[in-house]
């Protein structure tokens, strides 16, 4: 078991769900807000974040979601929460059982690839952290206090 590695994904899922909680009552105007130096609107960044997370999990497991997030219309916060929970729990399971040195093989954008499992495992954490930060920046720009997504806050909540 990769217990230390698993903790990263437990925090990731917690932070993703907490961020979605913070976005649940935003207006359409706030969801469309963006700020210089960020990915884009809150809405677009959330969609990008959870589509990517599903993609990383699919690379790790070789299984694609039955109903993936597509490039279409914004499905709403509750639907995103379901996707975030499913991919987050899948990443926790993968991190707990997969050898980080295991070589993954597949095709991406028509090209074959081989890479150690640790690469998408690490990328999932870096990518999510980066985009959660973007959303927190935009939230602060529209007058909404972003949630504390730090590991300190996570530890405090887990200890109860």
């Amino acid at each position: 078991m990769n217990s230390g590695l698993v903790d990263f994904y437990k925090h990731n899922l917690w932070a993703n769900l907490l961020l979605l909680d913070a976005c649940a009552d935003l207006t359409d105007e706030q969801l469309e807000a963006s700020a210089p130096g960020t990915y884009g609107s809150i809405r677009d960044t959330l969609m990008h974040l959870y589509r990517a997370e599903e993609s990383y999990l699919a690379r790790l497991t070789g299984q694609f979601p039955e109903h993936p997030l597509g490039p279409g219309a914004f499905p709403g916060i509750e639907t995103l929460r379901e996707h975030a929970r499913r991919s987050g729990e899948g990443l926790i399971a993968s991190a707990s059982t997969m050898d980080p040195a295991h070589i993954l093989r597949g095709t991406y954008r028509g090209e074959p690839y081989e890479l150690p499992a640790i690469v998408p495992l690490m990328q999932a954490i870096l990518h999510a952290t980066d985009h959660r930060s973007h959303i927190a920046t935009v939230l602060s720009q529209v007058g909404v206090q972003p949630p504390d997504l730090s590991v300190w806050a996570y530890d405090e909540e887990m200890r109860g």
Side-chain angles (χ1 to χ4, degrees):
M1 176 169 190
N2 300 313
S3 63
L5 188 58
V6 170
D7 292 331
F8 283 96
Y9 298 94
K10 289 180 178 179
H11 170 266
N12 182 67
L13 175 57
W14 171 85
N16 283 342
L17 296 176
L18 191 59
L19 182 63
L20 287 166
D21 290 344
C23 294
D25 294 327
L26 297 179
T27 65
D28 284 338
E29 183 179 336
Q30 289 170 319
L31 285 168
E32 281 303 314
S34 64
T38 64
Y39 177 83
S41 72
I42 291 173
R43 180 177 279 142
D44 289 346
T45 307
L46 288 170
M47 292 287 290
H48 171 73
L49 172 57
Y50 302 121
R51 268 197 307 266
E53 196 162 275
E54 287 180 340
S55 172
Y56 302 138
L57 182 59
R59 282 190 190 202
L60 290 164
T61 65
Q63 299 173 351
F64 292 84
E66 189 174 321
H67 302 288
L69 277 172
F74 185 72
I77 297 296
E78 286 310 309
T79 298
L80 289 179
R81 186 184 315 280
E82 293 170 22
H83 284 269
R85 185 177 310 282
R86 193 168 38 247
S87 61
E89 289 172 353
L91 286 169
I92 290 167
S94 291
S96 69
T97 60
M98 186 168 287
D99 175 0
H102 173 74
I103 300 298
L104 303 171
R105 292 174 177 80
T107 304
Y108 181 71
R109 296 184 178 169
E111 297 291 324
Y113 68 83
E114 290 187 3
L115 71 157
I118 194 65
V119 173
L121 286 169
M122 290 172 62
Q123 177 61 20
I125 295 297
L126 175 66
H127 184 261
T129 302
D130 191 32
H131 288 306
R132 285 191 303 259
S133 177
H134 289 175
I135 292 169
T137 297
V138 177
L139 286 172
S140 68
Q141 296 298 306
V142 298
V144 175
Q145 178 66 40
D148 183 354
L149 304 176
S150 70
V151 174
W152 302 113
Y154 169 74
D155 180 63
E156 186 175 307
E157 186 172 317
M158 293 303 110
R159 289 178 191 243

